[in-house]
Amino acid sequence: MQSTAGTAIRSLDVERIRMDFPILQTQVNGFPLVYLDNGATSQKPRSVLQTLERYYTTINSNVHRGVHHLSQEATDAYEAARRTVAHFIHAAGPQEIIFTRGTTEGINLVASSLGRSRLSPKDTVLITAMEHHSNIVPWQMICEETGARLKIIPILDRGDLDLEAARRVLEEKPGILAITQVSNTLGTINPVKQIIAWAHQAGALVLVDAAQSIQHLHPDVQDLDCDFLAFSGHKVFGPTGIGVLYGKEKFLDAMPPWQGGGDMIRTVTFDKTTYNDLPYKFEAGTPHIAGAIGLGAALDYLQGLDPASVLACEGQLLAYATGKLSRIPGLRIYGTAPQKASVISFNIGKLHPYDVGVILDQAGIAVRTGHHCTQPLMDFYGIPGTVRASMAFYNNFNDVDRLCQGVEKAISMLN
Ligand code: C6P
């Protein structure tokens, strides 16, 4: 594919891939849609949409509960999806894969269940200054409940972690470290493998928030050696309302159940309940069956693409967009770490990000504006919010060109 600036051809056939995503053919406000809000949620390929339709039209039923044909088919498909997830993140087995509603629920599960059994007023929970609210608030809540203290690894101005400071706070032997692999606001890729090794030396368990890395970096949980990892289906080209919590079996086994209800029990009497094996111990109530199966289809789709080409393609888009946006007078990019995913946050002079977002929308360009659920990070930079363009492998150079034209237009209108 050729950019207007004549950038080199990429190996991924983006124009063919775009045909797999029907929504990309949509017109918004009279313009072809430019979708640059993939950090908020990604679009779905036709194979996922067809899988959802097929599920509801042919095998819709409850799982693990019926002897009838449809229930068995639905159970088989649901459990096959779990195996697909386990394979995708290289878990030791499907018993380590808990289906949740999303990243937020996965983190809450670990904070509540592990936190209650592991934390006391002597303990510290460590997070970083670039965390999403979903990886801050659950830890604040459990710290309030248990008396543990919350400590923060600071960041440097360009948006990467202060690794010296990280080493120092790890020497204080925190009980738990919860860290994002990719910042949703800055795009920074954190060296989590290295940090996990340090944390383990210090005796901490580590949860990785993979909400923004699963779609770009395809994390391998055994290679990272993380103890827990959470992500959302909707950010990895699957449905909303479904997510995954990975946990090492020995830790999940030792943790008390979180929510009570159907499926998570072995026996119930009014005197005592005994609990089911993993992973069902943590899946109370009827799960999002279609969502899990749809997520399996999304991961199958991704596995059909060469991960190195996807990464290279997103890297080229990032470099092209960074170069072009940086040439716009008065525009400042937040997050200039050397290792970045295809996310660019920026502001232009004193223009309010919301106003810029509205003008971009009028031209059919979808970006996110605001604090991106990272208010402490906004406080660090002393700003109320940013405009954020987050790109996926189906974006092309034309999308970046349209974004830059939209920004120029916003500047001329708002000034
Ligand atoms: N970030 C964004 O626009 P849920 O809502 O549970 O699917 O994901 C929460 C979450 C957790 N961690 C990180 C790093 C995230 O980016 C998100 C979701 C979206 O940036 C919506 S706020």
Side-chain angles (χ1 to χ4, degrees):
M1 184 182 46
Q2 197 75 26
S3 80
T4 53
T7 311
I9 308 282
R10 295 180 289 175
S11 54
L12 210 63
D13 188 350
V14 176
E15 296 316 309
R16 190 197 56 72
I17 284 171
R18 287 174 70 84
M19 302 306 290
D20 294 339
F21 292 80
I23 206 168
L24 297 181
Q25 316 309 318
T26 308
Q27 301 265 322
V28 171
N29 293 325
F31 295 92
L33 169 68
V34 169
Y35 188 76
L36 296 172
D37 197 15
N38 295 284
T41 199
S42 59
Q43 299 303 345
K44 322 303 170 200
R46 193 173 277 106
S47 60
V48 169
L49 306 175
Q50 286 168 344
T51 298
L52 292 175
E53 186 177 3
R54 212 166 33 244
Y55 168 75
Y56 280 119
T57 50
T58 63
I59 61 169
N60 173 49
S61 189
N62 212 326
V63 289
H64 308 138
R65 285 159 171 82
V67 291
H68 62 81
H69 175 78
L70 290 187
S71 178
Q72 287 185 13
E73 291 268 312
T75 302
D76 287 350
Y78 182 71
E79 293 304 330
R82 196 191 304 278
R83 289 193 295 278
T84 301
V85 173
H87 179 257
F88 189 83
I89 62 170
H90 197 210
Q95 70 283 4
E96 296 186 325
I97 304 300
I98 318 270
F99 283 123
T100 62
R101 283 194 299 131
T103 311
T104 304
E105 188 170 87
I107 297 171
N108 274 278
L109 191 164
V110 177
S112 298
S113 172
L114 182 76
R116 273 194 203 113
S117 54
R118 191 176 168 89
L119 297 175
S120 74
K122 294 195 301 295
D123 293 306
T124 305
V125 174
L126 198 54
I127 59 174
T128 84
M130 67 175 80
E131 298 307 317
H132 185 279
H133 296 166
S134 292
N135 203 25
I136 302 174
V137 183
W139 301 111
Q140 280 176 331
M141 288 164 68
I142 199 68
C143 283
E144 246 170 58
E145 196 180 312
T146 61
R149 281 176 316 144
L150 191 66
K151 279 210 148 186
I152 316 298
I153 301 175
I155 60 167
L156 305 171
D157 199 50
R158 63 184 185 175
D160 42 7
L161 287 178
D162 182 341
L163 294 178
E164 286 305 310
R167 293 215 75 161
R168 274 197 305 279
V169 275
L170 279 167
E171 276 164 20
E172 294 169 27
K173 302 205 171 300
I176 300 171
L177 165 67
I179 180 170
T180 193
Q181 190 171 15
V182 170
S183 158
N184 65 318
T185 301
L186 306 172
T188 310
I189 299 176
N190 288 321
V192 286
K193 187 173 172 178
Q194 175 65 79
I195 295 172
I196 290 167
W198 292 340
H200 283 165
Q201 279 163 19
L205 296 187
V206 184
L207 176 139
V208 173
D209 175 346
Q212 299 290 345
S213 61
I214 188 79
Q215 64 282 50
H216 301 295
L217 306 178
H218 300 199
D220 174 326
V221 291
Q222 293 192 59
D223 178 53
L224 292 178
D225 196 26
C226 54
D227 303 300
F228 303 94
L229 178 139
F231 70 89
S232 305
H234 69 98
K235 294 197 201 290
V236 67
F237 316 105
T240 47
I242 187 75
V244 168
L245 172 69
Y246 156 82
K248 282 183 184 159
E249 188 173 357
K250 61 181 174 186
F251 297 127
L252 290 175
D253 245 341
M255 282 159 52
W258 180 45
Q259 294 178 327
D263 235 19
M264 54 76 75
I265 57 94
R266 185 181 303 287
T267 59
V268 179
T269 68
F270 286 122
D271 290 330
K272 184 168 173 59
T273 293
T274 58
Y275 303 119
N276 207 340
D277 294 332
L278 290 177
Y280 313 109
K281 183 173 90 173
F282 290 109
E283 290 183 3
T286 299
H288 185 3
I289 305 162
I293 296 168
L295 171 58
L299 299 182
D300 281 341
Y301 178 87
L302 260 190
Q303 285 177 121
L305 304 174
D306 171 37
S309 305
V310 167
L311 210 55
C313 154
E314 291 177 347
Q316 286 179 23
L317 273 177
L318 177 67
Y320 181 59
T322 305
K324 247 193 130 162
L325 285 168
S326 310
R327 287 194 287 278
I328 297 177
L331 188 145
R332 172 174 173 191
I333 292 176
Y334 295 88
T336 52
Q339 300 297 321
K340 272 189 69 171
S342 47
V343 175
I344 306 186
S345 262
F346 61 90
N347 278 331
I348 311 140
K350 294 216 173 323
L351 301 188
H352 198 285
Y354 175 83
D355 295 335
V356 177
V358 168
I359 290 173
L360 290 175
D361 177 58
Q362 285 165 2
I365 303 158
V367 292
R368 186 170 171 189
T369 59
H371 55 61
H372 315 299
C373 300
T374 52
Q375 282 185 355
L377 190 57
M378 297 297 109
D379 292 344
F380 173 80
Y381 286 112
I383 50 175
T386 71
V387 180
R388 183 189 70 181
S390 48
M391 296 169 281
F393 56 78
Y394 46 60
N395 287 118
N396 57 22
F397 291 111
N398 180 51
D399 291 342
V400 176
D401 292 338
R402 291 262 314 276
L403 170 69
C404 294
Q405 285 157 15
V407 168
E408 303 269 17
K409 185 168 176 205
I411 293 170
S412 69
M413 284 174 76
L414 294 169
N415 279 336

